Amino acid sequence: MHVSGRKGARYLIAIFFIFTMNFFIPRAMPGDPVSNLLGEDFVSGKETLEQIRTELGLNRPLIFQYVEYWKGILSFNFGYSYHFRTRVSALLIARLKWTFLLVAPSLLLGTLVGTLAGAGAGWWDEGFRAYLVLFCFLFLYCAPPFFVSLLFLYLFSFRWGIFPLKGFYSTGQVGDILRHLFLPILVMTIFSASRNFFVMRGSVLQEKGKWYVLYARAKGLSGNQVLFRQVLKNASLPIITLFALDFGFIFSGALFVEIIFSLNGMGTLIYEAVLARDYPVLQGSFLLITLMMVLANYGSDLCYRFLDPRVRQDTSPTLKHLLGTNDIGNDIFSELIHGSRVSLLVGLLTGILSTVLGVIVGLVSGFKGGLADEVLMGMTDMVLMIPRIPLIIVLAAFVKPGFWLIAAVMGMLWWTSTARVVRSQTLQVKTMHFIQSARCLGFSTVHIIFSDLLPSVFLVVIPEFFLSVASAMISEASLSFLGLGDPSMKSWGMMINFAFRKGGFLNGMWWWYLPPGLCITFFVMSILFLSFSFEERQFLPEIGGEDVTLAD
Amino acid sequence: MSLLQIEDLQVSFETRGGTVRAVDHFSLSMPEEETLALIGETGCGKSVVANSILRLLPDNARIDGAIDFDGRNLLTCNESMMSSIRGQEIAIIFQNPSLSLNPVYSIGHQVGEPFRFHRHFSWSSALSEAQILLERMGFERPASAIRMYPFQFSGGMNQRALIATAFALKPRLVLADEPTRGLDRELADDIVRQLDMVKDRVSSLLLITHDLRLARRISKRTTVMYAGQIVELSPTSLFFENPLHPYARGLLGSLPENGFRPIPGFSPSMIHPPTGCRFHPRCSSVMKRCSSERPPLFDVRGRQVRCFLFDPS
């Protein structure tokens, strides 16, 4: 219990800082602190303003005000809202009650459904039924929650009249409230279930190949027993992280649902307060949400500690392990260096493939013109319209995610901008004298394209190459983070995915996720700097000649 | 009657590089109350044999032949039948103990699982059974050991927990797949002592290893595998005195106490194994016919050898 006490102290310090910030911001902001503290609905004459100022103690020393502020918070007194004409604390309690009634069941239900469905989909990951379930959840995951809400509202309430259109209750009886809450809770449950589904599915897929699963079968556990008695506990660890994160997400996610179903909860309260510039309500809500976020994090922290015995050990950096170790004792620094190979290789492969494709398409379509141009540019436009990351996600869901596949698919999608840039450059260069003289000398088209055109467009190609390397590296990291990367290659993105799945974020193990994250960021930055330097050099007219200006 | 009778077992894996023929025409018979050592270098198919007996091979595996265990053909049993055999009648000790144990369950939980799932004990009595087993395996404080987690144990301690689990329900056959792999010599000796101690409590033990000392110490008969085939099957005492097959001689010769002479060449590809005798490219007494004809197993005074040197004709 020693560690959880230390964690508790850390969270208390966090609360203290956030609340202190909340005290200073309205007082340091430009404008009259009275209106910053009371909201813009508050209008009064100059005398009352003075009176209020004294009442709020705004002309007393700051330290005194600060003590008063804490006294107010500890007695749950957040001031008075002039917009809603009521005390903020009463307002918050009234609204929070309803939001909780909406959010708590949907979050619990969604986590339960999503976890079980995800576990099943990961365990039995082949066959028609598995793909059908995957596709359904993919659809729900991609559909914006407000769209689903509107659709349900239209079908169930407007069209068929099964459920009421709006509000929390009309008569106030339990059955009535349930009938009112059914649709909003359904939407929120779907929303939360689809998020949990994908995390759980990826997690089970990762766990499935481990030795202990084979060993459990060797001990005579049946397939279901292995899943529920052995794999589930391991695989559900990321769900706890997600649950804590979701807690903060609730308020934004609930906002849409509350607006669409006209529910007076926290979401609509904040929404109205923002519109009315009602600062006391906003501050009160902010403090309340902070408090709940911290509590949720603390709770899931304890849960994690209970479920995973490994986080109880110390993995922090030492002199021997510069960046610490992971849960099974691998040195993070070594992983970081090893991971650079994967990230770099994916970046370079994608960059080379997309550049070669783009240059060829651009040169041919620019130089030949006519039908070739029409076809090639039409193709470019089509490829440009393919949503890149979703396509790879779908591909990875059906094919085993492999390193070469990812690089190849990204290369096949990334070439379009290179093609366009090269084409426009070619169009400019091809009217120049040296091209015309080459034509007059009777050189073949292929010869002209590769010997005369290519060197002149080369300078615009290089920055494009670097850009696609950078973008491929970021995409690879995102894919790995989503658990769709190549599991056998531990890239930087995979390391962050690992930190997320093993609770590194929750438990403050910064050495698990900061080093790979910073490495990606700095590496991409340096590639972009390289590209900038090439772009600058491109404008120097080194080639000479009166009408040879390569870029204008 | 023999407890385990393997007839003409063939296992192959479909991979992108081609078909890997991991086990080729493997026949073996184990009577009750015997300890048999299966030795050979890494990748020769030893573990595949063990996993075929328990039907724990991945989906891309193709198994042919027959594995007869106590009158039942394991290759035609249904999955629920297999589940009740696994852990109860045939148990296995895997080669990487720290990975085989589930990281988030306590040792006691995992050692007690066979009691829970096969014998339907309550969790508390399964745990007390686990405690008794761990005590017998030489754990000093078994009461606290059952509450520990695998990451808090050394590899040797985890291995002992696996051995305890394997012998929990007194199975008729225990497959030990490289039980000393990755352990230092002292720990390995310790494990050997434990195995030696508990092996009398079960009927038969199939010891899969590349640790020749271990094989010599506890087995009655020794089988040598090379590239998916049995090349020699002899009583252990005779085998270590006078190995017959050139590969077996090479194996013994590569031991430090016998002069540390390695066998030249590399293990053959299992996708395109050499024609004729699979060992002929590395063999010091190779003959003309070795590269074209496949040697059968010859009987030599109660021993079996797959080598033309022992062709009676």
Side-chain angles (χ1 to χ4, degrees):
Chain A
M1 279 298 103
H2 166 72
V3 185
S4 54
R6 208 173 57 197
K7 284 270 176 176
R10 201 191 281 178
Y11 284 123
L12 277 182
I13 293 171
I15 292 182
F16 175 78
F17 270 109
I18 295 170
F19 279 40
T20 303
M21 218 170 71
N22 185 53
F23 167 78
F24 281 106
I25 286 173
R27 285 166 178 80
M29 268 199 311
D32 191 350
V34 172
S35 84
N36 283 349
L37 282 171
L38 294 183
E40 285 183 1
D41 263 21
F42 177 76
V43 274
S44 63
K46 195 152 191 199
E47 277 157 44
T48 30
L49 201 70
E50 257 337 288
Q51 197 189 333
I52 296 277
R53 212 183 283 276
T54 330
E55 241 170 55
L56 290 174
L58 284 177
N59 35 21
R60 304 172 78 168
L62 213 54
I63 180 77
F64 179 81
Q65 290 181 36
Y66 186 60
V67 172
E68 284 295 311
Y69 167 77
W70 271 107
K71 273 189 196 160
I73 285 174
L74 291 180
S75 58
F76 206 66
N77 174 18
F78 294 117
Y80 187 82
S81 161
Y82 284 85
H83 177 73
F84 292 97
R85 309 256 159 219
T86 177
R87 290 170 58 81
V88 174
S89 47
L91 193 64
L92 287 180
I93 290 175
R95 295 300 190 91
L96 195 65
K97 226 166 49 193
W98 287 110
T99 299
F100 240 88
L101 204 58
L102 167 66
V103 159
S106 16
L107 200 60
L108 288 176
L109 215 61
T111 306
L112 196 71
V113 171
T115 306
L116 288 180
W123 190 250
W124 297 283
D125 68 326
E126 268 160 37
F128 177 73
R129 265 195 308 176
Y131 288 132
L132 191 71
V133 170
L134 179 68
F135 185 79
C136 287
F137 274 97
L138 199 68
F139 179 80
L140 292 173
Y141 183 71
C142 297
F146 51 85
F147 168 69
V148 178
S149 310
L150 284 171
L151 202 68
F152 279 20
L153 196 63
Y154 172 74
L155 286 178
F156 288 99
S157 303
F158 194 70
R159 199 70 191 265
W160 299 327
I162 306 174
F163 294 106
L165 271 168
K166 54 185 267 189
F168 277 122
Y169 55 87
S170 43
T171 62
Q173 256 132 16
V174 177
D176 180 54
I177 294 177
L178 282 181
R179 231 163 61 83
H180 277 82
L181 278 179
F182 185 83
L183 276 188
I185 287 183
L186 184 65
V187 172
M188 297 275 289
T189 303
I190 288 175
F191 186 53
S192 146
S194 62
R195 281 158 61 84
N196 283 304
F197 175 85
F198 281 98
V199 172
M200 193 63 190
R201 179 177 176 272
S203 193
V204 168
L205 280 177
Q206 263 181 14
E207 292 293 324
K208 208 162 80 166
K210 299 221 167 125
W211 267 96
Y212 73 80
V213 175
L214 191 71
Y215 184 59
R217 285 184 60 206
K219 272 198 273 191
L221 275 69
S222 68
N224 285 337
Q225 281 171 335
V226 176
L227 172 63
F228 290 110
R229 308 262 177 168
Q230 292 272 347
V231 178
L232 207 60
K233 192 175 171 188
N234 277 288
S236 59
L237 294 173
I239 297 287
I240 300 168
T241 311
L242 194 67
F243 198 80
L245 292 178
D246 258 358
F247 221 75
F249 203 70
I250 287 167
F251 292 94
S252 61
L255 177 61
F256 288 112
V257 177
E258 284 181 7
I259 289 174
I260 287 166
F261 291 97
S262 316
L263 306 172
N264 284 326
M266 281 298 286
T268 39
L269 177 69
I270 296 173
Y271 185 60
E272 281 175 51
V274 168
L275 290 183
R277 305 263 182 281
D278 190 339
Y279 300 119
V281 169
L282 282 181
Q283 281 192 28
S285 324
F286 175 68
L287 292 185
L288 205 61
I289 293 173
T290 308
L291 207 62
M292 285 196 299
M293 280 290 285
V294 169
L295 279 180
N297 270 293
Y298 190 55
S300 60
D301 212 26
L302 292 183
C303 261
Y304 217 105
R305 224 152 257 289
F306 175 71
L307 278 179
D308 190 351
R310 287 167 297 180
V311 300
R312 295 174 211 153
Q313 66 183 320
D314 190 23
T315 59
S316 54
T318 55
L319 262 183
K320 198 171 155 204
H321 300 287
L322 288 177
L323 293 172
T325 51
N326 65 16
D327 63 326
I328 50 169
N330 296 348
D331 184 69
I332 301 270
F333 185 67
S334 321
E335 280 197 335
L336 198 64
I337 293 185
H338 192 80
S340 66
R341 299 198 316 187
V342 183
S343 299
L344 261 177
L345 207 59
V346 169
L348 284 179
L349 278 176
T350 308
I352 291 170
L353 185 61
S354 70
T355 306
V356 168
L357 270 175
V359 166
I360 292 176
V361 169
L363 280 176
V364 171
S365 97
F367 188 71
K368 295 288 276 189
L371 187 64
D373 188 30
E374 280 295 316
V375 171
L376 286 175
M377 281 297 112
M379 213 168 75
T380 313
D381 286 339
M382 256 154 47
V383 174
L384 204 62
M385 274 184 289
I386 299 174
R388 295 170 176 188
I389 296 294
L391 176 71
I392 297 181
I393 290 179
V394 171
L395 270 180
F398 290 97
V399 192
K400 285 238 155 61
F403 168 79
W404 295 103
L405 176 84
I406 291 170
V409 172
M410 287 202 290
M412 303 289 271
L413 292 177
W414 257 244
W415 54 269
T416 47
S417 72
T418 312
R420 287 193 160 180
V421 170
V422 170
R423 178 178 169 269
S424 67
Q425 191 67 28
T426 310
L427 286 178
Q428 283 178 26
V429 177
K430 88 171 177 187
T431 54
M432 286 175 193
H433 293 325
F434 70 97
I435 298 292
Q436 280 163 9
S437 56
R439 269 187 170 160
C440 293
L441 287 168
F443 292 157
S444 72
T445 312
V446 177
H447 180 91
I448 295 176
I449 286 181
F450 286 102
S451 309
D452 299 306
L453 269 176
L454 191 58
S456 1
V457 298
F458 202 65
L459 279 178
V460 295
V461 169
I462 288 175
E464 282 291 324
F465 169 73
F466 285 128
L467 281 178
S468 59
V469 170
S471 132
M473 282 180 65
I474 290 181
S475 304
E476 190 275 334
S478 324
L479 283 175
S480 299
F481 178 73
L482 291 173
L484 299 167
D486 191 335
S488 61
M489 303 275 225
K490 201 150 189 187
S491 69
W492 288 336
M494 210 53 131
M495 287 175 74
I496 303 181
N497 171 28
F498 164 85
F500 171 68
R501 289 185 182 277
K502 297 284 167 95
F505 287 91
L506 269 184
N507 294 295
M509 299 177 191
W510 55 266
W511 55 94
W512 281 12
Y513 55 85
L514 271 191
L518 289 178
C519 274
I520 297 175
T521 313
F522 288 138
F523 200 88
V524 170
M525 266 170 76
S526 50
I527 287 179
L528 290 185
F529 281 136
L530 266 175
S531 135
F532 290 155
S533 74
F534 273 99
E535 266 174 355
E536 276 162 23
R537 275 195 26 206
Q538 171 189 316
F539 292 100
L540 296 177
E542 278 174 17
I543 300 172
E546 37 202 305
D547 51 15
V548 179
T549 42
L550 281 179
D552 48 25
Chain B
M1 195 193 125
S2 58
L3 178 68
L4 179 78
Q5 180 87 39
I6 303 177
E7 273 318 327
D8 210 24
L9 178 72
Q10 292 183 64
V11 185
S12 56
F13 299 94
E14 292 301 329
T15 66
R16 236 175 294 168
T19 306
V20 178
R21 291 191 178 75
V23 176
D24 192 30
H25 297 287
F26 185 99
S27 297
L28 187 69
S29 155
M30 268 181 87
E32 303 251 6
E33 283 164 35
E34 193 199 44
T35 300
L36 179 85
L38 184 56
I39 60 178
E41 57 198 7
T42 307
C44 72
K46 309 185 297 280
S47 301
V48 177
V49 171
N51 286 345
S52 320
I53 295 173
L54 280 176
R55 286 251 310 276
L56 287 175
L57 293 172
D59 293 339
N60 64 342
R62 214 188 114 87
I63 316 178
D64 288 309
I67 299 179
D68 204 64
F69 175 73
D70 199 26
R72 283 161 292 182
N73 184 356
L74 296 182
L75 295 185
T76 54
C77 278
N78 61 20
E79 188 57 30
S80 69
M81 182 78 168
M82 273 321 287
S83 284
S84 78
I85 290 175
R86 289 178 194 140
Q88 187 159 233
E89 296 186 57
I90 307 177
I92 190 166
I93 305 165
F94 276 142
Q95 51 184 305
N96 23 22
S98 303
L99 292 180
S100 297
L101 291 167
N102 191 327
V104 298
Y105 287 101
S106 67
I107 294 289
H109 180 112
Q110 302 192 53
V111 176
E113 258 176 346
F115 295 103
R116 178 84 186 112
F117 290 117
H118 289 298
R119 300 282 153 87
H120 307 288
F121 279 32
S122 70
W123 269 121
S124 61
S125 41
L127 278 180
S128 53
E129 290 292 332
Q131 188 175 334
I132 295 168
L133 282 173
L134 289 184
E135 191 170 7
R136 213 174 277 152
M137 284 305 294
F139 278 84
E140 278 173 13
R141 281 188 297 275
S144 66
I146 58 167
R147 279 198 301 273
M148 303 275 266
Y149 289 90
F151 76 92
Q152 294 165 316
F153 272 6
S154 66
M157 286 159 97
N158 281 334
Q159 186 63 282
R160 276 191 279 167
L162 283 197
I163 293 174
T165 318
F167 289 91
L169 299 181
K170 302 193 178 65
R172 309 186 58 192
L173 173 66
V174 172
L175 316 170
D177 190 354
E178 309 261 15
T180 55
R181 179 170 174 161
L183 303 176
D184 59 50
R185 188 135 182 177
E186 218 167 292
L187 268 177
D189 281 345
D190 198 35
I191 296 296
V192 173
R193 261 196 300 281
Q194 300 291 347
L195 268 180
D196 218 6
M197 218 170 70
V198 289
K199 77 163 200 267
D200 299 330
R201 300 182 49 229
V202 293
S203 185
S204 299
L205 176 69
L206 177 61
L207 177 70
I208 293 165
T209 185
H210 55 227
D211 184 344
L212 297 175
R213 289 183 327 118
L214 173 61
R216 179 173 203 169
R217 178 150 163 196
I218 65 177
S219 71
K220 230 183 249 170
R221 284 192 299 158
T222 299
T223 311
V224 185
M225 261 184 100
Y226 182 78
Q229 291 178 324
I230 292 183
V231 293
E232 179 167 351
L233 175 59
S234 299
T236 302
S237 50
L238 290 177
F239 175 78
F240 281 93
E241 262 166 41
N242 173 30
L244 297 182
H245 196 277
Y247 172 65
R249 270 185 253 143
L251 266 188
L252 289 184
S254 64
L255 286 180
E257 55 265 36
N258 296 345
F260 217 2
R261 282 174 316 252
I263 306 171
F266 297 97
S267 317
S269 146
M270 303 291 267
I271 296 176
H272 304 291
T275 53
C277 171
R278 294 191 173 174
F279 186 62
H280 84 263
R282 301 168 72 183
C283 185
S284 51
S285 21
V286 63
M287 297 177 288
K288 207 171 184 182
R289 60 196 288 210
C290 292
S291 59
S292 53
E293 289 175 58
R294 289 184 170 193
L297 274 174
F298 295 107
D299 274 318
V300 185
R301 295 181 303 279
R303 304 167 70 173
Q304 288 183 308
V305 197
R306 193 184 293 277
C307 181
F308 286 123
L309 290 176
F310 301 92
D311 190 353
S313 54

